[in-house]
Amino acid sequence: MAKKDYYEVLGVNRDATEADIKKAYRKLAMKWHPDRNPDNPKAEEHFKEAKEAYEVLTDAQKRAAYDQYGHAGVDPSAAGAGAGFGGFSDAFGDIFGDIFGGGGGGRQRSTVFRGADLRYNLEITLEDAARGSETRIRIPAMEECETCHGTGAKPGTQPSTCTTCGGHGQVRMQQGFFSIQQTCPRCHGTGKMVAHPCATCSGSGRVKKHKTLAVKIPAGVDEGDRIRLSGEGEAGVNGGPSGDLYVVIQIKRHSVFTRDHNDLHCEMPVSFTTAALGGEIEIPTLDGYAKIRIPAETQTGKIFRLRGKGIKGVRSSSHGDLLCHVVVETPVSLTAKQKELLQEFEALSNKDAARHNPRAKSWMDRVKEFFAE
Ligand SMILES: [Zn+2]
Ligand SMILES: [Zn+2]
């Protein structure tokens, strides 16, 4: 379908001034605005056509290109993107900026922002994570200024509508073929200007405060779990809702246990003699001591699993286990007597090494085999 001439679309002469073009566009936009012509695709088409013509003819560079080369000089599809001429919502946003916002009449929308979400890193002990606990945290937060009730204006004065964005909080910037919506640089999106700023908040309407909150930590939480405190984030702007506060769990390093999901692991040093002869040793669990019977001839690396002595999952009802890793300890700082006994012991062991030290013996055999090949 051939495109209509932009001047024809707006019904202006080729030597029309920018003011003429604007005026013509406003008239057309009012007439064909989709709000006034619900379910009328033809109106939408006219509206878009007018908007496109307006955007080209009010941009000196593009207008010159159009005058010289026609549609080919400014065709947005030829440019490969055409973002500025995009869909309906785009056109919709612009109309308020150009017509209703600037003129001060009709609808005005100032930008409403939800407050930012906040993050609080809470370090807790493994015991608290396992059992659950309740704690209080003190957090900095931007809250509505009590002096001006969030308006930013000195008591007794009123903020006025921002003249740059007409109260929108957003402005459109034309960059080549692109029309970009940006937060208004003058009012930073609030849509308001404050002639006499409130002394308490310097006109921002918000002040930095601290608040103390109770946090309930459910039993079983793990590193990185987040607890959401709804609405406890930063206050919103222009009556927008507050953000949320996320308490992020960090678990302190424990002196005995390491955690792997719901299982706990711990090292269990066993004396050389106990490992050989067997015996009973006490090991710590999260709820007190437990006894483990060490069978005779226990080796390093053996794992004793205590069922249900781990952590109960926060999302499940199952308990993890406690896994005790045996480390046979070589005795140190030996006395002369101890050395003498061990040498005697060694001499006896060597008489039948294959029987008393099967691991060493089999290893030695493998080594020999390797060098014999
Ligand atoms: Zn204030
Ligand atoms: Zn503004």
Side-chain angles (χ1 to χ4, degrees):
M1 193 180 83
K3 277 183 123 169
K4 269 201 218 157
D5 178 66
Y6 285 147
Y7 292 96
E8 213 176 292
V9 166
L10 295 177
V12 294
N13 292 326
R14 296 194 84 82
D15 56 1
T17 63
E18 200 183 324
D20 292 336
I21 291 166
K22 260 190 184 150
K23 205 170 135 195
Y25 169 57
R26 286 183 182 208
K27 232 168 89 186
L28 287 171
M30 290 290 224
K31 185 176 172 191
W32 298 119
H33 192 276
D35 258 4
R36 299 180 167 209
N37 300 274
D39 303 315
N40 183 349
K42 213 162 177 165
E44 198 186 319
E45 200 50 52
H46 281 304
F47 177 75
K48 280 188 183 168
E49 243 178 7
K51 179 178 148 54
E52 190 183 318
Y54 165 76
E55 276 179 346
V56 170
L57 297 185
T58 50
D59 181 312
Q61 211 181 331
K62 277 194 240 170
R63 186 175 177 181
Y66 179 72
D67 285 347
Q68 199 168 354
Y69 304 110
H71 285 296
V74 292
D75 186 6
S77 57
F85 303 93
F88 169 61
S89 64
D90 182 51
F92 185 81
D94 208 38
I95 192 81
F96 285 107
D98 289 346
I99 294 177
F100 296 112
R107 257 158 87 181
Q108 276 199 7
R109 302 177 307 171
S110 56
T111 312
V112 167
F113 289 117
R114 183 176 176 274
D117 287 340
L118 296 175
R119 175 193 170 114
Y120 183 94
N121 294 335
L122 179 64
E123 205 184 43
I124 59 173
T125 62
L126 183 64
E127 290 89 331
D128 281 347
R131 291 185 199 121
S133 71
E134 207 167 323
T135 185
R136 298 179 86 74
I137 58 170
R138 196 172 128 84
I139 56 156
M142 298 300 289
E143 298 225 304
E144 191 182 277
C145 171
E146 279 170 14
T147 311
C148 64
H149 301 287
T151 65
K154 197 167 150 182
T157 70
Q158 289 294 323
S160 56
T161 303
C162 172
T163 51
T164 300
C165 62
H168 256 280
Q170 301 276 311
V171 287
R172 289 200 152 253
M173 311 289 261
Q174 198 73 36
Q175 275 181 11
F177 290 114
F178 298 94
S179 165
I180 298 162
Q181 190 151 321
Q182 291 186 328
T183 300
C184 173
R186 185 167 199 172
C187 63
H188 305 291
T190 62
K192 300 259 182 349
M193 288 194 313
V194 177
H196 307 283
C198 162
T200 311
C201 62
S202 316
S204 71
R206 300 201 290 173
V207 285
K208 195 166 185 171
K209 280 197 178 158
H210 281 88
K211 55 182 173 185
T212 304
L213 296 170
V215 184
K216 221 175 134 67
I217 299 158
V221 290
D222 204 348
E223 181 83 21
D225 281 347
R226 306 194 306 174
I227 298 164
R228 188 170 71 116
L229 300 182
S230 179
E232 298 291 2
E234 277 191 5
V237 173
N238 283 338
S242 295
D244 296 331
L245 174 70
Y246 287 94
V247 176
V248 181
I249 298 295
Q250 293 181 335
I251 297 175
K252 279 183 202 154
R253 216 185 147 81
H254 196 274
S255 55
V256 175
F257 303 110
T258 54
R259 178 173 177 179
D260 176 26
H261 298 284
N262 293 330
D263 288 337
L264 292 175
H265 293 259
C266 74
E267 185 183 280
M268 186 166 72
V270 176
S271 84
F272 172 77
T273 321
T274 307
L277 302 178
E280 213 174 50
I281 60 170
E282 275 198 326
I283 54 131
T285 72
L286 279 180
D287 20 69
Y289 281 93
K291 278 188 175 138
I292 289 189
R293 204 185 60 76
I294 307 286
E297 301 176 5
T298 291
Q299 305 292 339
T300 285
K302 180 162 175 63
I303 296 168
F304 291 92
R305 181 185 285 265
L306 277 77
R307 300 225 175 258
K309 291 288 183 189
I311 289 168
K312 182 187 158 294
V314 71
R315 286 169 211 89
S316 70
S317 55
S318 67
H319 265 88
D321 302 331
L322 171 61
L323 293 96
C324 303
H325 300 249
V326 169
V327 178
V328 176
E329 187 174 25
T330 305
V332 297
S333 307
L334 298 175
T335 63
K337 178 70 177 165
Q338 282 175 311
K339 283 181 188 167
E340 194 190 314
L341 287 170
L342 283 178
Q343 275 151 5
E344 195 178 326
F345 177 81
E346 181 72 355
L348 287 171
S349 298
N350 284 345
K351 283 186 180 160
D352 195 351
R355 189 169 156 226
H356 303 302
N357 296 94
R359 187 164 168 163
K361 176 71 171 57
S362 103
W363 179 78
M364 213 31 172
D365 289 349
R366 274 178 283 136
V367 171
K368 277 179 190 156
E369 214 170 283
F370 173 74
F371 283 111
E373 270 171 11

mmCIF file of all heavy atoms in Angstrom, residues 181-200:
data_model
loop_
_atom_site.group_PDB
_atom_site.id
_atom_site.type_symbol
_atom_site.label_atom_id
_atom_site.label_comp_id
_atom_site.label_asym_id
_atom_site.label_seq_id
_atom_site.Cartn_x
_atom_site.Cartn_y
_atom_site.Cartn_z
ATOM 1 N N GLN A 181 11.717 6.873 25.479
ATOM 2 C CA GLN A 181 11.069 7.424 26.662
ATOM 3 C C GLN A 181 12.043 7.396 27.831
ATOM 4 O O GLN A 181 12.698 6.391 28.071
ATOM 5 C CB GLN A 181 9.832 6.594 26.993
ATOM 6 C CG GLN A 181 8.986 7.240 28.055
ATOM 7 C CD GLN A 181 7.524 6.873 27.883
ATOM 8 O OE1 GLN A 181 7.023 6.797 26.782
ATOM 9 N NE2 GLN A 181 6.843 6.650 28.985
ATOM 10 N N GLN A 182 12.156 8.517 28.502
ATOM 11 C CA GLN A 182 13.101 8.588 29.611
ATOM 12 C C GLN A 182 12.441 9.236 30.817
ATOM 13 O O GLN A 182 11.499 9.996 30.681
ATOM 14 C CB GLN A 182 14.304 9.470 29.227
ATOM 15 C CG GLN A 182 15.184 8.840 28.182
ATOM 16 C CD GLN A 182 16.414 9.684 27.948
ATOM 17 O OE1 GLN A 182 16.374 10.895 28.055
ATOM 18 N NE2 GLN A 182 17.515 9.023 27.643
ATOM 19 N N THR A 183 13.005 8.956 31.958
ATOM 20 C CA THR A 183 12.550 9.623 33.165
ATOM 21 C C THR A 183 12.891 11.098 33.034
ATOM 22 O O THR A 183 13.981 11.445 32.605
ATOM 23 C CB THR A 183 13.251 9.023 34.381
ATOM 24 O OG1 THR A 183 12.930 7.646 34.432
ATOM 25 C CG2 THR A 183 12.796 9.681 35.667
ATOM 26 N N CYS A 184 11.932 11.932 33.392
ATOM 27 C CA CYS A 184 12.135 13.377 33.251
ATOM 28 C C CYS A 184 13.344 13.828 34.073
ATOM 29 O O CYS A 184 13.428 13.548 35.262
ATOM 30 C CB CYS A 184 10.877 14.109 33.716
ATOM 31 S SG CYS A 184 11.071 15.897 33.779
ATOM 32 N N PRO A 185 14.279 14.511 33.442
ATOM 33 C CA PRO A 185 15.496 14.905 34.158
ATOM 34 C C PRO A 185 15.237 16.011 35.189
ATOM 35 O O PRO A 185 16.011 16.170 36.125
ATOM 36 C CB PRO A 185 16.413 15.414 33.041
ATOM 37 C CG PRO A 185 15.506 15.795 31.920
ATOM 38 C CD PRO A 185 14.299 14.914 32.027
ATOM 39 N N ARG A 186 14.149 16.716 35.021
ATOM 40 C CA ARG A 186 13.895 17.831 35.926
ATOM 41 C C ARG A 186 13.257 17.370 37.242
ATOM 42 O O ARG A 186 13.676 17.741 38.313
ATOM 43 C CB ARG A 186 12.984 18.832 35.245
ATOM 44 C CG ARG A 186 12.769 20.079 36.080
ATOM 45 C CD ARG A 186 12.141 21.135 35.239
ATOM 46 N NE ARG A 186 12.295 22.446 35.814
ATOM 47 C CZ ARG A 186 11.960 23.548 35.165
ATOM 48 N NH1 ARG A 186 11.519 23.463 33.930
ATOM 49 N NH2 ARG A 186 12.085 24.716 35.747
ATOM 50 N N CYS A 187 12.242 16.525 37.123
ATOM 51 C CA CYS A 187 11.513 16.131 38.332
ATOM 52 C C CYS A 187 11.854 14.698 38.747
ATOM 53 O O CYS A 187 11.335 14.192 39.721
ATOM 54 C CB CYS A 187 10.011 16.249 38.093
ATOM 55 S SG CYS A 187 9.428 15.122 36.803
ATOM 56 N N HIS A 188 12.714 14.059 37.998
ATOM 57 C CA HIS A 188 13.146 12.678 38.272
ATOM 58 C C HIS A 188 11.971 11.721 38.375
ATOM 59 O O HIS A 188 11.961 10.812 39.194
ATOM 60 C CB HIS A 188 13.991 12.616 39.551
ATOM 61 C CG HIS A 188 15.160 13.546 39.495
ATOM 62 N ND1 HIS A 188 16.225 13.349 38.648
ATOM 63 C CD2 HIS A 188 15.406 14.711 40.134
ATOM 64 C CE1 HIS A 188 17.083 14.341 38.782
ATOM 65 N NE2 HIS A 188 16.610 15.180 39.673
ATOM 66 N N GLY A 189 10.979 11.979 37.552
ATOM 67 C CA GLY A 189 9.882 11.024 37.461
ATOM 68 C C GLY A 189 8.700 11.292 38.375
ATOM 69 O O GLY A 189 7.695 10.615 38.296
ATOM 70 N N THR A 190 8.827 12.291 39.235
ATOM 71 C CA THR A 190 7.705 12.523 40.156
ATOM 72 C C THR A 190 6.577 13.319 39.491
ATOM 73 O O THR A 190 5.449 13.294 39.948
ATOM 74 C CB THR A 190 8.157 13.302 41.412
ATOM 75 O OG1 THR A 190 8.649 14.581 40.989
ATOM 76 C CG2 THR A 190 9.247 12.563 42.164
ATOM 77 N N GLY A 191 6.908 14.056 38.426
ATOM 78 C CA GLY A 191 5.902 14.876 37.760
ATOM 79 C C GLY A 191 5.629 16.190 38.475
ATOM 80 O O GLY A 191 4.781 16.965 38.066
ATOM 81 N N LYS A 192 6.357 16.406 39.568
ATOM 82 C CA LYS A 192 6.112 17.610 40.382
ATOM 83 C C LYS A 192 7.390 18.449 40.505
ATOM 84 O O LYS A 192 8.497 17.924 40.484
ATOM 85 C CB LYS A 192 5.677 17.185 41.790
ATOM 86 C CG LYS A 192 4.411 16.350 41.812
ATOM 87 C CD LYS A 192 3.271 17.225 42.191
ATOM 88 C CE LYS A 192 1.917 16.543 42.311
ATOM 89 N NZ LYS A 192 1.717 15.233 41.855
ATOM 90 N N MET A 193 7.176 19.739 40.657
ATOM 91 C CA MET A 193 8.299 20.630 40.941
ATOM 92 C C MET A 193 8.035 21.281 42.283
ATOM 93 O O MET A 193 6.915 21.658 42.589
ATOM 94 C CB MET A 193 8.407 21.718 39.882
ATOM 95 C CG MET A 193 8.918 21.198 38.548
ATOM 96 S SD MET A 193 9.419 22.553 37.476
ATOM 97 C CE MET A 193 8.057 23.675 37.618
ATOM 98 N N VAL A 194 9.082 21.421 43.037
ATOM 99 C CA VAL A 194 8.932 22.003 44.372
ATOM 100 C C VAL A 194 9.698 23.318 44.438
ATOM 101 O O VAL A 194 10.919 23.338 44.341
ATOM 102 C CB VAL A 194 9.446 21.013 45.438
ATOM 103 C CG1 VAL A 194 9.374 21.634 46.816
ATOM 104 C CG2 VAL A 194 8.650 19.727 45.388
ATOM 105 N N ALA A 195 8.943 24.415 44.559
ATOM 106 C CA ALA A 195 9.581 25.737 44.596
ATOM 107 C C ALA A 195 10.221 25.972 45.963
ATOM 108 O O ALA A 195 11.311 26.526 46.066
ATOM 109 C CB ALA A 195 8.554 26.827 44.297
ATOM 110 N N HIS A 196 9.548 25.551 47.012
ATOM 111 C CA HIS A 196 10.071 25.722 48.369
ATOM 112 C C HIS A 196 10.229 24.349 48.993
ATOM 113 O O HIS A 196 9.284 23.804 49.538
ATOM 114 C CB HIS A 196 9.109 26.582 49.210
ATOM 115 C CG HIS A 196 8.766 27.869 48.551
ATOM 116 N ND1 HIS A 196 9.624 28.938 48.525
ATOM 117 C CD2 HIS A 196 7.663 28.248 47.853
ATOM 118 C CE1 HIS A 196 9.061 29.934 47.845
ATOM 119 N NE2 HIS A 196 7.865 29.534 47.422
ATOM 120 N N PRO A 197 11.431 23.815 48.890
ATOM 121 C CA PRO A 197 11.605 22.433 49.375
ATOM 122 C C PRO A 197 11.463 22.312 50.893
ATOM 123 O O PRO A 197 11.803 23.234 51.629
ATOM 124 C CB PRO A 197 13.021 22.064 48.934
ATOM 125 C CG PRO A 197 13.606 23.247 48.270
ATOM 126 C CD PRO A 197 12.653 24.394 48.347
ATOM 127 N N CYS A 198 10.959 21.188 51.293
ATOM 128 C CA CYS A 198 10.843 20.862 52.716
ATOM 129 C C CYS A 198 12.247 20.743 53.296
ATOM 130 O O CYS A 198 13.134 20.140 52.691
ATOM 131 C CB CYS A 198 10.089 19.537 52.842
ATOM 132 S SG CYS A 198 10.271 18.706 54.405
ATOM 133 N N ALA A 199 12.443 21.344 54.464
ATOM 134 C CA ALA A 199 13.780 21.377 55.052
ATOM 135 C C ALA A 199 14.207 20.002 55.568
ATOM 136 O O ALA A 199 15.387 19.654 55.549
ATOM 137 C CB ALA A 199 13.819 22.393 56.194
ATOM 138 N N THR A 200 13.246 19.224 55.991
ATOM 139 C CA THR A 200 13.585 17.917 56.568
ATOM 140 C C THR A 200 14.155 16.953 55.530
ATOM 141 O O THR A 200 15.116 16.245 55.792
ATOM 142 C CB THR A 200 12.323 17.287 57.202
ATOM 143 O OG1 THR A 200 11.700 18.266 58.028
ATOM 144 C CG2 THR A 200 12.673 16.061 58.024
#
